[in-house]
């Protein structure tokens, strides 16, 4: 990463001292903790009700489908309307959904079908919230602050992923209704923080009439830029094949022989590695050979997945997941920075929506893939095949996208204040 010689790069603590960024950071922290708590409760509850690994995969599929169906609409809305209002509305709806889950669980009336309905609704709200929140960050900080702000913003997510699953796992001892109530409270707090958020610079809103061209502009923009297409699709296929998070309830209960607290520790482990890496990158941003660093990180991700797959010892499993999270964070920071810096502001919503669907496919659809392969080959076989598949993707993508592999810096143009 380079900056003009006359303008020194801001230190991470100076970025965090900015009041607007601090509100943004805590809002992202709260909404992500709320979502992680919600996810832990759903995973354990659905497996308690069905004892079927395929149903764990179905949770990911049901959550992913709304993001695909709403892709064109969500990106267009993010570029045309007030992004703070969109995020605040989504978080309020998520709080109401979590309250409904809490009431159904506490009353003892919840069923598998109820869970799928609520998960689909959460997926629909996050289809709007996720790309809009990403597109909002460049309006919160200056361009010069942005690369460090991406790493620090990612640290909020990873902090939440550490705290959320552990908190959800321990709170589940009191019942899923309590977990959903905590989740609802955090969504509501996030909505209040976004309400107070002040923007440093006004977003360039889309003003042209709605048309087929404007709806599909995000796809067209990414398709015409091999570096962006390669970075986004690399994450899609690598995590789609290598992701094992959907199978953590099975590993916790049947392979590692632990309980909800162990599941919480397993779900937190990737975030420990990711948080440490995000904080390191905030202080030591990548300057050169970012393309090769990204490919190397994804390869480490695949190898860590394989180690986790064969482990029957909780500490080793956690260590493998820590390494998995650390390597994934490198890929996340490179991809997120490239997507934002190489995209005009009035297109960030639509490009972000496409990026979010790719990320959702790698996570939620990856959970479905893991559930299916676990049903066919068992959980250990499914995770090992996924890790091998990730390594194959790295080799193929280096040949398909040489411009990404040879990318030297995160941005190819001077960064202004």
């Amino acid at each position: 990463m380079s900056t003009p010689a006359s303008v020194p790069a801001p230190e991470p603590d100076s970025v965090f001292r900015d009041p607007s960024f601090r509100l943004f950071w805590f809002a992202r922290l709260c909404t992500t903790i709320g979502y992680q708590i919600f996810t832990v409760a759903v995973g354990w509850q659905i497996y308690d009700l069905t004892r079927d690994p395929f149903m764990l995969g179905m949770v990911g599929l049901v959550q992913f489908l709304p993001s695909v169906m709403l892709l064109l609409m969500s990106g267009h809305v993010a570029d045309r309307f007030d992004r703070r209002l969109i995020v605040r509305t989504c978080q309020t709806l998520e709080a109401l959904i979590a309250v409904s889950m809490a009431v159904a669980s506490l009353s003892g009336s919840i069923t598998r079908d109820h869970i799928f309905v609520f998960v689909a609704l959460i997926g629909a709200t996050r289809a709007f919230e996720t790309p809009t929140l990403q597109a909002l960050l460049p309006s919160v900080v200056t361009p010069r602050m942005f690369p460090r702000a991406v790493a620090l913003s990612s640290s909020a997510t990873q902090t939440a992923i550490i705290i959320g699953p552990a908190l959800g796992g321990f709170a589940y001892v009191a019942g899923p209704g309590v977990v959903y109530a905590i989740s609802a409270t955090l969504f509501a707090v996030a909505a209040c923080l976004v309400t107070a958020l002040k923007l440093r610079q006004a977003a360039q809103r889309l003003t042209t009439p709605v048309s087929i061209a404007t709806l599909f502009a995000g796809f067209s923009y990414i398709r015409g830029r091999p570096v962006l297409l390669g970075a986004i699709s690399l994450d899609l296929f690598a995590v789609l094949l290598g992701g094992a998070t959907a199978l953590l309830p099975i590993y916790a209960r049947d392979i590692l022989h632990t309980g909800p607290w162990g599941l919480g520790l397993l779900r937190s482990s990737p975030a420990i590695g990711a948080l440490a890496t995000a904080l390191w990158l905030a202080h030591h941003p990548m300057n050169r050979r970012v393309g090769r660093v990204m490919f190397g990180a994804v390869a480490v991700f695949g190898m860590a997945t394989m180690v986790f797959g064969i482990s029957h010892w909780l500490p080793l499993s956690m260590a493998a997941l820590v390494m998995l999270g650390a390597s994934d964070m490198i890929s996340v920071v490179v991809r997120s920075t490239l997507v934002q810096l190489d995209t005009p502001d009035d297109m960030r919503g639509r490009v972000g929506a496409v990026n979010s669907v790719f990320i959702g496919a790698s996570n939620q659809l990856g959970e479905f893939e893991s559930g299916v392969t676990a049903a066919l080959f068992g959980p250990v076989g499914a995770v090992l095949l996924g890790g091998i598949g990730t390594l194959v993707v790295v080799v193929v993508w280096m040949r398909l996208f040489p411009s990404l592999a040879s990318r030297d810096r995160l941005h190819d143009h001077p960064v202004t204040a």
Side-chain angles (χ1 to χ4, degrees):
M1 185 179 67
S2 64
T3 57
S6 60
V7 182
E11 290 300 317
D13 57 347
S14 69
V15 177
F16 197 76
R17 281 199 298 266
D18 182 276
S20 292
F21 178 76
R22 199 159 53 240
L23 281 173
F24 179 91
W25 192 91
F26 280 109
R28 184 165 179 173
L29 176 72
C30 289
T31 194
T32 309
I33 291 178
Y35 177 68
Q36 290 297 320
I37 290 174
F38 184 92
T39 301
V40 167
V42 166
W44 199 269
Q45 191 174 37
I46 198 73
Y47 194 57
D48 263 345
L49 290 173
T50 66
R51 297 299 177 92
D52 185 352
F54 182 75
M55 289 297 105
L56 290 173
M58 284 298 297
V59 169
L61 180 63
V62 168
Q63 187 174 186
F64 170 70
L65 288 178
S67 65
V68 176
M69 297 170 62
L70 297 170
L71 165 63
L72 299 179
M73 183 187 303
S74 63
H76 215 277
V77 167
D79 282 337
R80 190 172 291 274
F81 300 104
D82 185 340
R83 289 168 180 165
R84 286 172 298 180
L85 176 61
I86 297 167
V87 172
R88 183 171 66 244
T89 301
C90 290
Q91 291 167 342
T92 302
L93 291 173
E94 288 162 357
L96 293 174
I97 293 168
V99 167
S100 300
M101 288 281 279
V103 171
S105 297
L106 291 170
S107 66
S109 62
I110 197 164
T111 66
R112 180 194 67 182
D113 294 337
H114 289 149
I115 293 176
F116 284 145
V117 170
F118 288 126
V119 166
L121 292 174
I122 282 284
T125 57
R126 289 182 63 81
F128 286 90
E129 180 191 3
T130 301
T132 308
L133 195 61
Q134 292 172 353
L136 188 60
L137 180 57
S139 297
V140 175
V141 299
T142 64
R144 188 167 57 92
M145 292 180 174
F146 187 73
R148 294 184 188 272
V150 169
L152 287 173
S153 179
S154 297
S155 75
T157 299
Q158 301 310 321
T159 300
I161 296 174
I162 293 171
I163 297 172
L167 178 59
F170 285 110
Y172 199 92
V173 175
V178 173
V179 182
Y180 294 129
I182 296 172
S183 176
T185 301
L186 289 165
F187 284 134
V189 170
C192 293
L193 292 172
V194 171
T195 300
L197 183 64
K198 304 296 183 183
L199 301 185
R200 182 180 290 270
Q201 49 193 341
Q204 299 176 11
R205 296 188 187 177
L206 177 66
T207 58
T208 55
V210 179
S211 65
I212 296 298
T214 60
L215 286 173
F216 285 90
F219 287 102
S220 300
Y221 189 85
I222 292 173
R223 188 176 65 246
R225 287 156 181 80
V227 169
L228 295 186
L229 179 60
I232 294 173
S233 59
L234 174 65
D235 180 86
L236 166 66
F237 288 102
V239 181
L240 174 65
L241 295 172
T245 55
L247 304 181
L248 290 184
I250 300 176
Y251 266 82
R253 184 193 293 272
D254 300 335
I255 296 177
L256 300 173
H257 306 294
T258 184
W261 63 272
L263 174 61
L265 292 176
L266 289 173
R267 291 191 69 96
S268 297
S269 293
I272 294 173
L275 175 60
T277 303
L279 294 176
W280 171 265
L281 292 176
H283 288 81
H284 306 87
M286 287 173 278
N287 292 315
R288 306 299 298 270
R289 297 186 293 275
V290 296
R292 292 192 177 276
V293 168
M294 182 179 185
F295 278 109
V298 175
V300 173
F301 178 91
M303 290 185 285
T305 299
M306 296 171 66
V307 172
F308 171 77
I310 61 175
S311 172
H312 286 72
W313 184 39
L314 181 61
L316 177 60
S317 299
M318 292 174 61
L321 291 174
V322 167
M323 183 59 67
L324 182 149
S327 57
D328 185 51
M329 177 49 57
I330 296 174
S331 174
V332 167
V333 170
V334 173
R335 185 191 68 245
S336 299
T337 305
L338 289 176
V339 167
Q340 297 292 350
L341 288 182
D342 288 8
T343 304
D345 188 57
D346 62 352
M347 287 194 62
R348 283 184 174 130
R350 285 166 290 173
V351 171
V354 176
N355 184 38
S356 295
V357 168
F358 274 66
I359 295 171
S362 65
N363 293 321
Q364 280 84 48
L365 195 57
E367 292 178 6
F368 176 70
E369 179 271 339
S370 296
V372 171
T373 53
L376 293 174
F377 305 109
V380 174
V383 174
L384 286 176
L385 286 174
I388 294 171
T390 299
L391 297 178
V392 172
V393 166
V394 169
V395 174
V396 172
W397 253 241
M398 289 187 72
R399 292 183 174 273
L400 289 179
F401 298 97
S403 58
L404 175 60
S406 62
R407 179 75 176 238
D408 188 38
R409 299 181 183 273
L410 285 172
H411 52 79
D412 292 331
H413 52 277
V415 178
T416 61

